[in-house]
Amino acid sequence: MEFKFVSSIDCKQGAVRAVRFSVDGSYCITCGSDRKLKLWNPYRCALLKTYGGHGAEVSDACASCESSQIVSSGMDKSVILWDVATGTPVRRLRGHVGPVTTVRFNEESTMAVSGSRDNAVMCWDVRSKAIEPVQTLRDAKDTISSVRVSDHEILSASFDGKIRRYDIRVGEVLTDAIGEDITCASFTRDGQCIVASCADGVVRLIDKDSGELLGEFTGHDANNLCLESSVDYQDTHIISGSGDGKLWIWELVNQKVVAKLSEVEDSKHPTVSLSVHPQKNCFLVASGSKISMWEAADSSKD
Amino acid sequence: MSESDDENYVTFGTGLELLDEESLPRKKPVVIEDQYACDTQGRRRFHGAFTGGFSAGYFNSVGTRDGWRPQQFKSSRSSKAGSVNQRPEDFMDEEDTGNFGIAPMGIRSTSDYTDHGKRGTKRERFRQDPNGVIPGAPVLKELLKPVKETVGITLLRKMGWKPGQGVGPRITKREKIKILHQNRGVKVYGCSLPVQQEEMVANESDASDDEHVDITFAPDDYEPFRLNPKDNCFGIGYTGLDRRPVLSGHVNLFEIPAFNIQDKDKKLSIHGQAFGVGVFEVDDEDIYAKDDMSRYNFALGPERKTKSRWSQKEDSASTSQEKCIEGFIYAKNRLEDKKIFKPPELPPDFKPIHVARKSRFYPPIDQNLIYENGKPKGLARHDLNAEDRYKIINDNPLKASTLHNDIQKEIQPVNVSGNTSVTAKIICRTLNLQGREHEQEKKRQEAQQAKGNISWLEKLTATNFVKGGMVGTDPSVTGALTNFKVFENLCSRNTSEIVSSDTPSNTSSIQSVRPFLPDIEKQKRFEQYIIFSQNGEKKKLASIQPLSMSEWERDHEVVEFDQALRLFVPPVSTDIKLVSCELEHSSTATTESKINRNMKTKDKSKIMRTKIEWQPAHIVCKRFNIPEPRAGCAKPESDKKISKFSVFNCLDFSGNSEKFETATRMIEKKKCQVGLDQGRMEKRPAVLSEQETETHLNISTEASNASVSHKLRRFEATYEKVFGKGVQDILLTLKSNIDRQQPNITENSDSNSGTDVTGHQDSSATPKDKTEDKKDLFKAIFLSSSEDSDTGVEDNIDSEKVKSVLIGKTCEQVNLQRNTSPARGIFAQLDFNELIIPTRRKESNDNESIETTKQETKVLIISKSTDQNLARKEIIKLSEEAPDMYGPALPQIPPNHDNSPDKLDSNISQARKPIFKNIVLKSSVETKVLGKWVEKSKVKKSKKEKKKHKHKDKSKHKRKSKKSKY
């Protein structure tokens, strides 16, 4: 599989903390360290809108399913719900007592789930006008590094080395103790596995149901960075950011490094954030103040 | 005045006339303002503001009133006007041309004679010389100008002085020589020479030339004494080092090259002397030698013997104390030396590496890590010298033995010389662990004193001695020791001897390990410690630690040694073979552990997973479009309660413990409440089904017989406990009834299997037991049914009667205030005695008692929620069937109660049945239900009014009183 560099945008908003595709993959949001969110059309490299209102760095963001709202989390301990069109904050949710590190909408974008450095995951009802979280999950013993929401699950990864999966359908918490700080945990596309980036420089693939370790993907430079990882569109590759400024891609099955992508030869900025297009093999990578888009060449054939 | 006076005095000149006092004109001194110059005519000469200007005008110069007037031009044929040349004199007064005028006209000497300078002469006009090389004023004339002599010189000249001569009156030669001597002789500052010396000088030159006495000479000239202003801070006559750039100034090729220094990107050359010659010093031998900076010592180090002027001086001063600079004396009190304190000693565990924490919130940095980074002393390459390495590589036992021999040699002589008892030494050691030298001394003295008679101390030491078990074994130690050092050495020798004899190779290898190499003493101790530890006598380390060490240091050292031992010394066994075996074993062990580790890593694939129940919030489920899991559970309530989050929750939980407790209690209550409600709700369909089954009650299913019989047996047991065996027959009669109830009971037991009590009550339940059932239900729902439900059953009287029978009194006897008339409505089923206690008020009016109680209950009931009103009918039905959780089992009510075959059986049985019922109820209330009941009341408390609460208490009280009657 060939990976092709498509485009690159200098976001001009300081370091880009996170880059996220919208639900349909036609837009992307970048979270800057200059306290601004920016909405882009990554294909045309066009800036569509800037959202300012956070009091500190924006750590994460997520667009709603109908692309009418954006929820973002900031180091100012607040979660802000934005109206995409007007660019004004619809609601400012202050419940966390620490910087909010991550935020996600649920599938129907009726609920925002945020994780924070106060070790709590909070569920916010976006539909109501309640300013308090609907539910707070206080199981983690350390900073929540990432939160993912599936149709019936909330997956939270924490620096206490545990991945917690809250199954709403069954009503139980499944805690997988990895033993290393987990910087990012996400579902695979088929929802059968969990990809977890660990601070020891290993990306682990864990079976969701049995909790078995299916694979370990190593080689990249973790370097105490809060790196993100993901699977590609077809669940055939594991993608992870790295401290060396490259995007590492492994074959999921044989755990071999397929490619190390970087726009410039040796970037001094690590690739901390990445986002995979929901419908095709296309990723956005944030490194320093730039985001770059990559595309798998033979994605159409497959 | 007498004449004699005149005679005696000689008068010179003419005496002044005596002034006539009257005619004395008052002479006033003329003030300066009035003194002004006048001309010959007595006219004022100077006028004007400045009084310095020339006189002009009418009164002064020209002589006319109008002042001077220009000459009138007159020209005629007869007298033609000639050319008129004006002269300066035309504009002058006569006085100006006078002797003292500005243009005196008299004859006088030229300025050359009158004045040496060109005073008075006019400035010379430039004579333009167009023929010169340089046009304009002659250059040479500009450059070379005649020296002007000062006024002083001019005056001197006038007085006859000539250049080269001294100034002063002319003197004879002799005098001149004398002065010369004076000037050339010893310089005397301050006071003049004593007279003797002067005489001497005079005598010296006396005989030289007497003949020229008459000729006088001008005195010799003085050397002009030049004073240079002092603009530095050096001593007089000293020129310091001149610090200037290398290439500045004149480069003298013959000079000794200056001392060159590179200083801040600037090359400097230093000239001059660093030290000058003092006033009181003799000049250098070689005056022409220029002191060069390169000769100075710039490095600190052992003082090199240099023959400097100062050192010479110092030496001479130090050798002869008396010798002292003239005019100075040695100080009697020497200045006190500045006390220099030693730098503070660093704690032994100090590591000179500082790793800063980012903030105080970060976890403390692991000291061991630092230690690793800072490279602990030990076996590192640079910590060992060649010898050590050699020792490590080549395990030569001879080496070690020789080492020990050395020690022995050291000890041997001292060993013999000792005289004090060893025991005393040991006392010192054992009792004086603190390590105070003087204390030890004292102890020793004590021991010496007590030498003759056996003191307790010696006994004590004797035991210690035995315990030590080491010193005694060696006969050489029976001799005495002089000091601690010997003892120490002895110890070491003993042990080393032992060890060396046993395991020479081991010791050598161990001894080659030197983790405390920088501290030799410590290393020695460590080596000893190794030996001790091999013999299992680790505590002996204390005996070889120096006394100067503090307790803490000792302990610390022990810990250190332990660690080092673990690090460097492998487990030692005396037998070499064993060692090898062990080695093998250990190797296998290591491989095993490796495998284990590998396994562990493989095990890692199995991630530890824990599963905890978790209740998602209601809204979360709703938003996720997921039905709430475990909808029947009461959990979400609690979750919601806590979800109200505040910072204080996080920070200070223990402080809130009280609050927290109450909160949980509330949650519990809630849970109970909810559980109750839900339970009831769940029960409804069950009840309905029961009702359905009721119709088919006659068809008794024998399948569930076994379970029922079991329950029955249990019940019997309990019953016997309570009432004795007398009631057995009743039970027998009952059995048939129960058999009929079987399906119902099983259902109930299935649903409420949680509580044992209900099971009992199930078994105790009879179809006739409506009142009890209803009461229980009432309890359960807290009088929730409305007051005006009129589906009455007339069993109340029956139950009353039964009660009375049981108690042995009639109804009236037992309860005088009770209205015997049958209760109506829902109250027909209720025993108000147990629920609400009638007040004294009721006692007064017996007849209205029921009405009042009714009203009271009304009040209570009104306060109840209305949703229960809606389900009133059903509840009533329920009351007939069973309250699920709390009360006894749902009784099987045959459709027509009275027509049941049992009833028809016999009157006795009919009579007994209710009795039994009641008894059972009582017992259950007493034994089991009581607890629950109370709890329920508690739960109610939160919802009910206080009034109700009061009643409850009272009713309870009443019940108790009733119980006492039994």
Side-chain angles (χ1 to χ4, degrees):
Chain A
M1 190 180 261
E2 285 289 308
F3 295 96
K4 190 177 75 191
F5 173 72
V6 180
S7 62
S8 168
I9 308 168
D10 188 0
C11 297
K12 296 196 178 79
Q13 51 177 166
V16 177
R17 297 299 181 207
V19 59
R20 301 280 178 255
F21 265 117
S22 65
V23 170
D24 59 351
S26 51
Y27 304 104
C28 78
I29 316 161
T30 56
C31 308
S33 57
D34 67 340
R35 306 176 302 210
K36 298 265 191 335
L37 274 157
K38 283 185 176 176
L39 181 70
W40 304 84
N41 184 334
Y43 309 102
R44 291 192 288 122
C45 298
L47 174 65
L48 303 176
K49 196 129 193 134
T50 305
Y51 303 89
H54 269 293
E57 288 186 15
V58 189
S59 56
D60 198 0
C62 183
S64 72
C65 54
E66 75 277 26
S67 293
S68 67
Q69 284 185 322
I70 294 171
V71 70
S72 69
S73 62
M75 293 294 155
D76 56 350
K77 304 173 194 172
S78 70
V79 173
I80 296 180
L81 187 70
W82 304 87
D83 187 71
V84 169
T86 60
T88 51
V90 178
R91 204 153 295 138
R92 200 181 278 259
L93 306 165
R94 296 180 214 263
H96 284 290
V97 289
V100 188
T101 52
T102 176
V103 73
R104 277 290 179 285
F105 268 124
N106 70 340
E107 272 196 346
E108 296 183 351
S109 307
T110 50
M111 180 153 279
V113 182
S114 65
S116 160
R117 268 188 216 164
D118 65 357
N119 310 352
V121 173
M122 286 186 179
C123 305
W124 308 87
D125 188 0
V126 175
R127 290 287 172 84
S128 75
K129 284 189 175 172
I131 49 163
E132 281 179 3
V134 173
Q135 190 166 24
T136 309
L137 314 172
R138 292 190 192 283
D139 301 289
K141 301 288 177 292
D142 207 336
T143 302
I144 305 292
S145 55
S146 81
V147 159
R148 295 289 185 278
V149 184
S150 75
D151 58 341
H152 68 282
E153 290 159 314
I154 298 169
L155 184 77
S156 82
S158 168
F159 286 153
D160 63 359
K162 283 171 184 166
I163 301 172
R164 291 179 180 77
R165 188 157 58 84
Y166 298 88
D167 197 325
I168 300 162
R169 214 185 276 163
V170 186
E172 57 186 21
V173 197
L174 290 155
T175 310
D176 291 333
I178 307 286
E180 292 289 338
D181 296 5
I182 299 150
T183 57
C184 176
S186 56
F187 292 112
T188 51
R189 290 292 164 117
D190 60 0
Q192 297 300 306
C193 302
I194 295 166
V195 182
S197 282
C198 302
D200 59 345
V202 180
V203 179
R204 292 186 168 87
L205 186 70
I206 300 154
D207 189 85
K208 195 178 86 175
D209 295 323
S210 64
E212 225 172 311
L213 185 68
L214 299 176
E216 289 188 332
F217 304 89
T218 54
H220 64 296
D221 182 15
N223 201 14
N224 284 334
L225 291 160
C226 194
L227 302 173
E228 286 182 1
S229 60
S230 179
V231 286
D232 69 343
Y233 168 59
Q234 291 141 314
D235 276 347
T236 54
H237 292 86
I238 298 278
I239 310 163
S240 171
S242 170
D244 55 8
K246 288 172 181 164
L247 187 70
W248 284 59
I249 300 170
W250 292 267
E251 191 96 21
L252 188 136
V253 182
N254 58 17
Q255 303 174 16
K256 277 179 186 162
V257 180
V258 177
K260 298 176 213 173
L261 310 177
S262 69
E263 188 195 340
V264 285
E265 195 43 53
D266 42 14
S267 167
K268 58 180 175 177
H269 302 294
T271 51
V272 283
S273 180
L274 61 97
S275 181
V276 180
H277 194 282
Q279 272 118 42
K280 57 180 180 176
N281 248 346
C282 175
F283 351 104
L284 278 173
V285 188
S287 171
S289 64
K290 282 182 165 183
I291 57 166
S292 49
M293 192 157 74
W294 297 81
E295 206 163 357
D298 55 346
S299 61
S300 54
K301 286 175 203 169
D302 290 357
Chain B
M1 293 269 172
S2 63
E3 282 193 21
S4 60
D5 283 345
D6 288 348
E7 285 167 14
N8 290 339
Y9 288 104
V10 181
T11 51
F12 293 96
T14 51
L16 287 168
E17 280 176 37
L18 287 173
L19 292 168
D20 188 13
E21 295 210 345
E22 278 84 44
S23 62
L24 194 72
R26 271 185 64 91
K27 260 202 173 168
K28 225 180 178 179
V30 185
V31 287
I32 286 170
E33 299 93 281
D34 297 334
Q35 295 175 354
Y36 44 78
C38 299
D39 58 11
T40 44
Q41 279 98 33
R43 292 180 303 200
R44 192 169 171 178
R45 181 141 165 76
F46 299 112
H47 303 271
F50 301 173
T51 58
F54 291 105
S55 305
Y58 174 71
F59 291 107
N60 280 322
S61 53
V62 197
T64 59
R65 196 183 152 194
D66 304 321
W68 87 210
R69 204 188 297 153
Q71 197 178 22
Q72 283 183 335
F73 179 74
K74 228 189 246 174
S75 180
S76 63
R77 201 170 283 182
S78 56
S79 54
K80 292 236 174 157
S83 60
V84 179
N85 275 339
Q86 283 187 335
R87 296 173 296 131
E89 285 79 18
D90 292 340
F91 305 97
M92 286 182 191
D93 290 332
E94 302 94 54
E95 289 160 48
D96 292 336
T97 55
N99 228 355
F100 302 101
I102 50 169
M105 299 301 280
I107 297 159
R108 28 169 76 197
S109 59
T110 56
S111 64
D112 285 345
Y113 296 97
T114 53
D115 230 341
H116 182 76
K118 291 191 169 179
R119 213 144 47 128
T121 57
K122 282 196 173 175
R123 200 158 29 98
E124 252 186 275
R125 294 222 172 173
F126 297 128
R127 271 175 292 136
Q128 299 286 341
D129 189 7
N131 302 324
V133 184
I134 303 164
V139 183
L140 205 62
K141 207 171 186 181
E142 289 281 295
L143 289 172
L144 304 172
K145 281 185 178 171
V147 180
K148 276 186 184 175
E149 278 175 330
T150 56
V151 179
I153 289 167
T154 331
L155 282 172
L156 280 172
R157 277 240 179 90
K158 282 190 172 171
M159 289 161 75
W161 172 82
K162 287 189 181 77
Q165 284 181 344
V167 179
R170 297 181 80 82
I171 46 172
T172 58
K173 181 157 190 190
R174 203 176 130 196
E175 279 170 336
K176 204 173 172 181
I177 290 160
K178 199 171 92 182
I179 289 160
L180 194 77
H181 274 286
Q182 266 184 25
N183 290 344
R184 212 198 296 157
V186 189
K187 279 180 187 171
V188 180
Y189 296 93
C191 315
S192 62
L193 280 171
V195 189
Q196 288 181 345
Q197 228 173 340
E198 209 174 9
E199 288 294 304
M200 247 182 52
V201 173
N203 291 337
E204 261 184 9
S205 55
D206 241 355
S208 59
D209 36 14
D210 288 325
E211 60 267 27
H212 307 295
V213 182
D214 300 335
I215 309 158
T216 57
F217 301 92
D220 285 332
D221 201 4
Y222 286 104
E223 274 296 309
F225 184 71
R226 193 163 282 241
L227 279 171
N228 289 326
K230 184 159 172 58
D231 53 357
N232 53 19
C233 302
F234 299 135
I236 295 161
Y238 168 74
T239 50
L241 293 170
D242 186 10
R243 188 168 172 271
R244 58 193 171 196
V246 173
L247 291 174
S248 74
H250 179 62
V251 181
N252 191 353
L253 292 173
F254 305 102
E255 218 174 35
I256 294 159
F259 180 74
N260 293 333
I261 299 174
Q262 188 89 22
D263 175 42
K264 283 179 200 163
D265 309 330
K266 230 192 261 176
K267 268 197 173 177
L268 294 172
S269 68
I270 294 171
H271 298 267
Q273 290 181 325
F275 299 98
V277 182
V279 179
F280 305 108
E281 287 168 46
V282 201
D283 276 345
D284 260 335
E285 300 94 71
D286 47 346
I287 340 157
Y288 304 106
K290 251 209 159 174
D291 218 357
D292 185 27
M293 281 301 291
S294 59
R295 288 191 212 164
Y296 290 101
N297 200 3
F298 282 97
L300 282 173
E303 209 184 344
R304 220 179 297 149
K305 201 72 180 167
T306 47
K307 261 223 157 190
S308 76
R309 296 180 290 269
W310 282 109
S311 67
Q312 270 183 341
K313 266 278 185 240
E314 288 276 42
D315 283 346
S316 62
S318 60
T319 45
S320 58
Q321 282 285 340
E322 307 289 301
K323 218 175 182 183
C324 181
I325 298 164
E326 266 185 23
F328 290 87
I329 44 160
Y330 276 103
K332 275 167 190 165
N333 306 327
R334 292 193 137 237
L335 276 173
E336 276 188 27
D337 287 341
K338 209 175 187 184
K339 207 171 186 183
I340 296 159
F341 295 97
K342 271 196 237 168
E345 274 184 32
L346 295 170
D349 62 337
F350 176 76
K351 280 142 204 155
I353 301 146
H354 178 69
V355 180
R357 274 202 289 170
K358 263 189 177 173
S359 85
R360 65 205 161 100
F361 299 110
Y362 276 75
I365 290 147
D366 193 6
Q367 286 295 319
N368 292 328
L369 274 174
I370 296 164
Y371 193 61
E372 274 171 29
N373 292 336
K375 271 201 247 167
K377 289 278 161 56
L379 286 172
R381 196 156 62 93
H382 297 289
D383 295 337
L384 301 172
N385 54 21
E387 203 182 342
D388 296 322
R389 279 194 288 276
Y390 168 74
K391 275 176 189 166
I392 290 166
I393 294 160
N394 186 15
D395 286 9
N396 193 357
L398 282 173
K399 201 84 183 176
S401 61
T402 50
L403 204 140
H404 293 308
N405 285 338
D406 289 349
I407 297 165
Q408 274 179 319
K409 272 175 209 162
E410 270 178 24
I411 297 158
Q412 226 66 32
V414 194
N415 210 359
V416 187
S417 67
N419 211 15
T420 44
S421 66
V422 186
T423 50
K425 291 285 152 319
I426 296 159
I427 294 162
C428 298
R429 286 303 319 135
T430 49
L431 296 183
N432 188 16
L433 283 171
Q434 300 300 322
R436 296 281 173 273
E437 200 77 57
H438 64 276
E439 258 184 76
Q440 193 208 7
E441 209 66 38
K442 213 167 75 183
K443 285 275 162 71
R444 191 187 297 158
Q445 281 170 5
E446 266 179 43
Q448 275 175 337
Q449 281 172 0
K451 211 174 160 188
N453 48 351
I454 300 155
S455 67
W456 64 272
L457 268 175
E458 247 171 315
K459 277 177 196 165
L460 191 137
T461 52
T463 54
N464 271 349
F465 188 78
V466 174
K467 265 189 186 169
M470 188 270 298
V471 184
T473 51
D474 194 346
S476 70
V477 194
T478 47
L481 302 168
T482 40
N483 56 21
F484 167 67
K485 192 105 185 172
V486 176
F487 172 71
E488 183 187 320
N489 287 335
L490 194 72
C491 283
S492 64
R493 190 181 63 103
N494 279 329
T495 47
S496 62
E497 263 181 357
I498 292 158
V499 175
S500 60
S501 61
D502 282 347
T503 56
S505 61
N506 272 335
T507 46
S508 64
S509 67
I510 291 159
Q511 245 134 28
S512 61
V513 174
R514 293 180 175 189
F516 304 102
L517 208 59
D519 190 347
I520 297 158
E521 289 296 316
K522 201 172 180 181
Q523 176 62 27
K524 271 184 186 168
R525 281 202 298 279
F526 176 63
E527 278 160 22
Q528 282 305 315
Y529 184 72
I530 292 165
I531 292 153
F532 285 146
S533 66
Q534 275 166 5
N535 298 342
E537 298 161 317
K538 284 190 177 182
K539 281 182 182 172
K540 270 184 194 159
L541 179 69
S543 63
I544 56 164
Q545 280 170 334
L547 295 167
S548 57
M549 281 174 86
S550 71
E551 187 88 1
W552 183 83
E553 279 171 334
R554 280 158 195 276
D555 291 345
H556 185 74
E557 198 174 71
V558 169
V559 174
E560 264 186 319
F561 284 178
D562 257 332
Q563 284 174 348
L565 205 65
R566 253 178 277 142
L567 267 176
F568 298 115
V569 182
V572 177
S573 65
T574 48
D575 199 341
I576 298 164
K577 271 187 186 176
L578 245 171
V579 169
S580 63
C581 274
E582 254 188 7
L583 272 169
E584 268 188 296
H585 182 72
S586 64
S587 65
T588 50
T590 48
T591 48
E592 264 179 17
S593 67
K594 264 185 188 174
I595 290 159
N596 278 337
R597 221 176 293 146
N598 287 340
M599 286 294 284
K600 259 189 182 173
T601 50
K602 272 185 185 171
D603 273 349
K604 255 191 167 178
S605 64
K606 194 78 183 168
I607 290 160
M608 215 172 71
R609 171 167 280 202
T610 48
K611 202 180 275 188
I612 313 161
E613 266 196 14
W614 167 72
Q615 183 64 41
H618 174 66
I619 303 173
V620 173
C621 294
K622 204 172 164 185
R623 292 275 175 256
F624 275 82
N625 283 334
I626 291 166
E628 225 172 307
R630 291 189 295 274
C633 287
K635 250 193 167 171
E637 295 290 328
S638 67
D639 228 326
K640 212 168 182 187
K641 266 283 171 313
I642 300 166
S643 69
K644 171 95 177 172
F645 180 74
S646 78
V647 183
F648 303 105
N649 249 348
C650 270
L651 298 177
D652 186 19
F653 222 69
S654 58
N656 275 355
S657 59
E658 207 178 38
K659 204 176 162 187
F660 180 62
E661 203 181 45
T662 54
T664 47
R665 224 182 280 150
M666 274 176 72
I667 288 153
E668 272 174 15
K669 283 176 198 169
K670 275 264 161 90
K671 274 188 201 171
C672 280
Q673 176 81 26
V674 172
L676 197 146
D677 290 343
Q678 283 171 346
R680 204 174 59 230
M681 298 300 261
E682 273 182 17
K683 273 293 110 71
R684 265 183 216 159
V687 167
L688 286 170
S689 67
E690 276 164 30
Q691 275 185 324
E692 280 172 15
T693 52
E694 262 177 54
T695 53
H696 312 288
L697 261 178
N698 291 332
I699 313 143
S700 60
T701 50
E702 297 294 324
S704 58
N705 213 347
S707 65
V708 175
S709 62
H710 170 69
K711 275 184 181 171
L712 195 73
R713 250 176 274 131
R714 271 207 297 181
F715 165 71
E716 278 169 20
T718 49
Y719 188 82
E720 270 173 19
K721 263 184 221 164
V722 180
F723 296 105
K725 292 203 171 178
V727 219
Q728 283 282 13
D729 50 344
I730 305 165
L731 278 172
L732 286 168
T733 56
L734 221 151
K735 248 188 180 174
S736 59
N737 268 341
I738 289 163
D739 284 350
R740 218 157 31 102
Q741 259 177 268
Q742 271 167 13
N744 203 355
I745 288 162
T746 47
E747 268 180 40
N748 276 334
S749 63
D750 283 345
S751 56
N752 321 344
S753 56
T755 53
D756 205 17
V757 182
T758 50
H760 279 290
Q761 284 176 344
D762 278 359
S763 58
S764 69
T766 54
K768 296 247 173 178
D769 204 7
K770 281 177 196 164
T771 49
E772 310 326 313
D773 291 344
K774 273 169 190 166
K775 190 171 76 184
D776 281 327
L777 178 72
F778 197 86
K779 285 174 203 164
I781 62 167
F782 280 100
L783 314 170
S784 59
S785 60
S786 69
E787 70 281 355
D788 49 358
S789 64
D790 270 339
T791 53
V793 188
E794 287 79 32
D795 264 3
N796 199 21
I797 311 154
D798 258 6
S799 66
E800 288 299 323
K801 273 180 186 171
V802 165
K803 267 185 200 167
S804 63
V805 166
L806 252 176
I807 295 156
K809 286 173 185 174
T810 59
C811 227
E812 284 76 21
Q813 277 174 317
V814 171
N815 200 354
L816 287 170
Q817 70 264 39
R818 174 147 293 195
N819 193 346
T820 48
S821 64
R824 288 179 300 274
I826 196 169
F827 304 104
Q829 317 301 323
L830 300 176
D831 186 356
F832 285 104
N833 280 338
E834 298 208 338
L835 298 171
I836 306 140
I837 294 170
T839 49
R840 299 247 167 203
R841 182 157 47 96
K842 280 182 195 165
E843 279 182 323
S844 59
N845 40 3
D846 287 11
N847 293 332
E848 292 165 21
S849 67
I850 286 215
E851 273 70 42
T852 52
T853 50
K854 261 189 194 172
Q855 273 165 4
E856 275 174 2
T857 47
K858 262 184 207 170
V859 170
L860 300 170
I861 287 152
I862 286 156
S863 72
K864 217 26 207 170
S865 61
T866 49
D867 66 313
Q868 278 158 346
N869 259 338
L870 291 169
R872 192 201 312 157
K873 291 256 171 184
E874 244 178 65
I875 286 158
I876 289 153
K877 272 180 195 165
L878 265 172
S879 72
E880 282 169 8
E881 309 316 319
D884 29 33
M885 281 165 92
Y886 308 97
L890 290 170
Q892 206 68 38
I893 306 162
N896 2 359
H897 179 51
D898 292 325
N899 297 339
S900 71
D902 282 291
K903 278 250 168 170
L904 299 170
D905 275 349
S906 63
N907 270 333
I908 306 156
S909 66
Q910 213 178 6
R912 272 175 185 175
K913 256 186 245 166
I915 291 167
F916 167 70
K917 271 190 276 174
N918 270 339
I919 286 163
V920 169
L921 183 84
K922 288 288 171 196
S923 73
S924 70
V925 162
E926 276 167 4
T927 53
K928 281 121 189 173
V929 181
L930 193 63
K932 271 226 157 155
W933 169 251
V934 170
E935 199 181 36
K936 257 185 257 165
S937 75
K938 227 193 240 170
V939 172
K940 280 306 143 187
K941 241 187 270 170
S942 62
K943 285 214 165 178
K944 290 282 165 189
E945 287 142 335
K946 282 193 177 159
K947 209 176 173 187
K948 167 83 183 176
H949 174 56
K950 263 186 218 164
H951 284 301
K952 278 259 169 322
D953 280 354
K954 276 176 190 170
S955 69
K956 238 192 262 175
H957 180 67
K958 184 114 186 186
R959 209 171 53 209
K960 269 180 189 166
S961 66
K962 261 192 183 174
K963 257 191 269 169
S964 64
K965 276 173 195 169
Y966 291 113

